[in-house]
Amino acid sequence: MKKIIEKKFHLILISILVIVIGYWFLSSLNGLKNVSKRQKYTVALVISGWHHKDTHGIGVDYEYFVNNKKYSNTINLDLKKEQKYLLAFDSI
């Protein structure tokens, strides 16, 4: 039995890896489906130009308002400063 495991170790390892990656992929798809059920839209304003790295990360900073509450984040897209874009978000 030990010889079989040693002989097929690489196949066992690859099988486990495929199962784990498949599980992560399928669970992420389920999360996206839940967001699409509760999806709402608002306008987001890009408030900074492209930056390589700061305390927020890599990309451009944007902000938006929902129920008079201000939210801000960074997204890794090349967007123009002071432009407005449609933002889809999870209402919960």
Side-chain angles (χ1 to χ4, degrees):
M1 181 74 167
K2 192 172 183 176
K3 284 186 177 185
I4 294 173
I5 292 175
E6 288 175 0
K7 198 178 224 184
K8 306 276 184 182
F9 179 74
H10 65 283
L11 291 176
I12 294 170
L13 188 62
I14 290 172
S15 299
I16 291 172
L17 185 63
V18 167
I19 290 170
V20 168
I21 291 173
Y23 173 77
W24 283 338
F25 178 74
L26 291 176
S27 64
S28 70
L29 286 179
N30 188 29
L32 290 175
K33 288 178 188 174
N34 289 338
V35 169
S36 66
K37 291 178 185 175
R38 305 178 303 253
Q39 193 172 33
K40 290 194 175 183
Y41 299 93
T42 189
V43 176
L45 175 66
V46 178
I47 58 174
S48 75
W50 177 264
H51 50 80
H52 291 284
K53 186 85 173 175
D54 67 2
T55 56
H56 301 291
I58 300 171
V60 296
D61 300 321
Y62 65 95
E63 64 183 24
Y64 60 98
F65 291 87
V66 175
N67 297 330
N68 294 326
K69 186 173 179 184
K70 179 180 168 182
Y71 296 90
S72 61
N73 207 343
T74 300
I75 189 166
N76 190 0
L77 293 173
D78 189 17
L79 303 174
K80 295 179 182 178
K81 184 177 178 180
E82 301 298 325
Q83 289 289 314
K84 294 180 180 179
Y85 294 92
L86 185 63
L87 175 75
F89 66 96
D90 186 347
S91 63
I92 295 178

